[in-house]
Amino acid sequence: LPRYLPAYFGGRDIFVITDSTVRTLYGVSLTHDLTKAGYGVWLLDIPAGERSKTPAVVQTLQNILLSAGIRRNSLIIALGGGVVGDVAGFVAATILRGVDYIQVPTTLIAQADSSIGGKVGVNHARGKNLIGAFYPPRAVFTDPEVIKTLPRSEFRNGLAEILKIALALDPRLFSWLERNRLKLRVPNVRQLTTLIRRAVNVKAKVVQQDERDVGARQVLNLGHTVAHALEKSTDHKIPHGAAVAIGIAVESEISVRMGVMWTRERVRLMRLMRELRLPVNMPPISNSSAFLRALSLDKKGIGRNVRFVLPRGIGRASTCEVPPRLITEVLGQPKAHK
Ligand SMILES: NC(=O)c1ccc[n+]([C@@H]2O[C@H](COP(=O)([O-])OP(=O)(O)OC[C@H]3O[C@@H](n4cnc5c(N)ncnc54)[C@H](O)[C@@H]3O)[C@@H](O)[C@H]2O)c1
Ligand SMILES: [Zn+2]
C-alpha cells in the first residue's frame, strides 16, 4: 500500500478503520508502514463481528474522526472483512458529506463480494442493512495472501457468497467451482487469486449495469431473504455467509416447488454445497411465526406474498412472489430433494 498510494492519494492524512482482530494481524504493521512513508496515520478499531454493524458504532467513529480533525481531503482505509467495509464505507459516505475511502478487504467475503459495488451501511433493530448508502471506494486493494490467517469457517462463508454469484449469474463459474471443489478445501494463493478474480469480474459487470440495485443487480440478493431473516431472528448468532448458504438451499427448494427450477439442477447444486462443506439445513426455529415476520419485514418484501430472488437454474435467477404457505411448507420439510 505505501508503494501504490502516492500515485492516487499523495500527501493526505489517513484514518485506518479496522476491527479488533485484524488490527493485531495487519492494522498495526500497515499503520507503521504508512507512517514510515510519511503519512499522518490514525488507527481506529471496532469490536470484531456483525454486532458492530450499528448506527451507534458509526456515531462513535464519527466522534473520534471529528475530534482527530478529519478533513475533506483525508483518506479512510477500510481494512477488514465485510463488517469493517460496510461500516467504514458508511462513515466515509456521511462524514463531512463524504470523504474518499479505499477498501482493503481481508476476508473471502470481502475480497470476492462486499468490497465491490459500493453498498455500505449498518443494521437496524428492524432488520439488516436498513441504514446505508451507495458510495463506491476510490480503489480496492486485494491481497489473497491475507486469507491464510482466516479461520476455515470464515473461508466457507466466503465460498457461500461466491456460490451465490455463480448460481445467480454465471454457469461457467459454477462449473469451475465444481471442478476445483476439492482444491478449494485448502487452496493455494494461485487458486485463490483465480477464484476471487472470477467472482469479482462477474459482480463488477452486473454492478456496472445497475449500480443502484433496481434491476439486473437484484439477482445477487439470491439466498438473502431467508439469510437476513435467519440472522435477525437468531440475533446474528449465525454468520452472514452461513445464513446465505442455508438461504440458497431453502430458496432453491422453493424454486423447485414453484416449478421454476428442475429437480436435477437442485440436486447438482446441493451436491456442490455439500462438497464445499457449506451448511444446508435450517437450524431449529423455535418460533416460526417470528421468523416469517422477519421475512416479510425484509426490505425486499412487499404486500402479503414474500418477494424472493429465486434460482431458475444454474447461472440464472429472477424475482418471484412466494405465498407464505409455500414457505412454511418448505421450512417444515427442509430435507426434501437433496
Ligand atoms: N456491501 C456488500 O455488498 C456486502 C456483500 C456481502 C456481504 N456484506 C456484509 O459483510 C458482512 C460479512 O462479512 P465477513 O464475513 O467478512 O464478516 P467480518 O467482517 O465480521 O469478518 C469475519 C471475521 O473474520 C475476522 N477476520 C477478518 N480478516 C481476517 C484475516 N485475514 N485473518 C483472520 N481473521 C480475519 C474478523 O475479525 C471477523 O471476526 C455482513 O455484514 C454482510 O452483510 C456486504
Ligand atoms: Zn451477502
Side-chain angles (χ1 to χ4, degrees):
L1 268 174
R3 202 165 66 237
Y4 289 112
L5 274 187
Y8 306 101
F9 311 106
R12 301 185 187 186
D13 290 339
I14 296 179
F15 295 86
V16 179
I17 300 181
T18 188
D19 73 23
S20 43
T21 304
V22 181
R23 178 190 175 104
T24 324
L25 287 169
Y26 307 107
V28 172
S29 61
L30 174 63
T31 304
H32 178 258
D33 291 351
L34 290 172
T35 309
K36 241 175 64 188
Y39 292 98
V41 191
W42 283 258
L43 177 61
L44 283 59
D45 64 279
I46 61 178
E50 184 74 27
R51 294 216 172 103
S52 281
K53 236 177 99 169
T54 62
V57 167
V58 166
Q59 198 171 25
T60 306
L61 288 170
Q62 288 165 337
N63 291 341
I64 299 172
L65 293 174
L66 291 173
S67 308
I70 188 167
R71 292 186 299 193
R72 292 291 290 274
N73 71 347
S74 301
L75 177 72
I76 290 178
I77 296 182
L79 172 72
V83 167
V84 165
D86 285 8
V87 170
F90 187 60
V91 168
T94 46
I95 196 127
L96 305 178
R97 296 204 179 87
V99 303
D100 284 346
Y101 79 113
I102 64 173
Q103 293 270 15
V104 184
T106 65
T107 62
L108 187 59
I109 281 195
Q111 297 197 340
D113 188 348
S114 65
S115 63
I116 308 298
K119 277 192 190 175
V120 295
V122 293
N123 304 328
H124 183 274
R126 291 183 73 90
K128 243 187 95 91
N129 298 336
L130 294 182
I131 311 293
F134 291 95
Y135 194 66
R138 288 291 310 279
V140 181
F141 288 83
T142 289
D143 180 359
E145 284 275 350
V146 301
I147 298 300
K148 66 176 184 278
T149 56
L150 196 65
R152 298 296 309 159
S153 60
E154 296 295 350
F155 182 76
R156 285 195 294 273
N157 291 338
L159 287 180
E161 290 277 31
I162 294 172
L163 178 73
K164 168 207 74 180
I165 293 173
L167 181 62
L169 286 164
D170 191 355
R172 283 177 312 164
L173 177 55
F174 193 94
S175 305
W176 187 92
L177 290 170
E178 286 179 321
R179 282 196 307 279
N180 291 280
R181 65 195 185 280
L182 299 179
K183 288 182 196 141
L184 286 174
R185 289 187 186 164
V186 195
N188 60 32
V189 170
R190 197 175 47 79
Q191 289 149 353
L192 271 176
T193 306
T194 309
L195 173 70
I196 294 161
R197 183 172 285 143
R198 290 189 75 134
V200 162
N201 284 343
V202 178
K203 180 162 182 189
K205 208 164 125 202
V206 76
V207 169
Q208 271 162 14
Q209 286 168 38
D210 172 29
E211 191 179 17
R212 293 271 157 162
D213 203 11
V214 290
R217 183 175 179 174
Q218 285 180 357
V219 297
L220 290 179
N221 291 323
L222 180 65
H224 280 62
T225 304
V226 166
H228 287 174
L230 255 180
E231 289 180 85
K232 180 168 182 277
S233 58
T234 60
D235 196 21
H236 301 293
K237 281 191 193 70
I238 301 181
H240 179 69
V244 169
I246 296 166
I248 290 172
V250 170
E251 293 180 16
S252 57
E253 172 64 20
I254 294 176
S255 282
V256 169
R257 291 194 190 213
M258 295 210 23
V260 301
M261 184 181 188
W262 294 108
T263 300
R264 64 166 187 277
E265 293 191 297
R266 182 167 191 267
V267 169
R268 188 177 158 200
L269 167 67
M270 297 308 285
R271 190 184 308 132
L272 177 58
M273 291 187 77
R274 267 196 307 275
E275 285 180 324
L276 295 175
R277 311 225 157 111
L278 299 178
V280 293
N281 293 322
M282 279 290 287
I285 296 182
S286 46
N287 183 347
S288 73
S289 68
F291 177 74
L292 269 184
R293 220 173 25 250
L295 272 181
S296 48
L297 275 179
D298 183 286
K299 66 183 184 302
K300 293 177 285 299
I302 45 163
R304 272 187 66 242
N305 288 350
V306 182
R307 195 164 209 210
F308 280 86
V309 173
L310 293 181
R312 293 184 158 262
I314 305 299
R316 279 187 309 138
S318 68
T319 23
C320 294
E321 300 278 322
V322 181
R325 181 190 46 77
L326 184 57
I327 305 167
T328 351
E329 238 176 74
V330 169
L331 293 174
Q333 301 170 354
K335 291 204 166 62
H337 290 300
K338 262 175 230 154

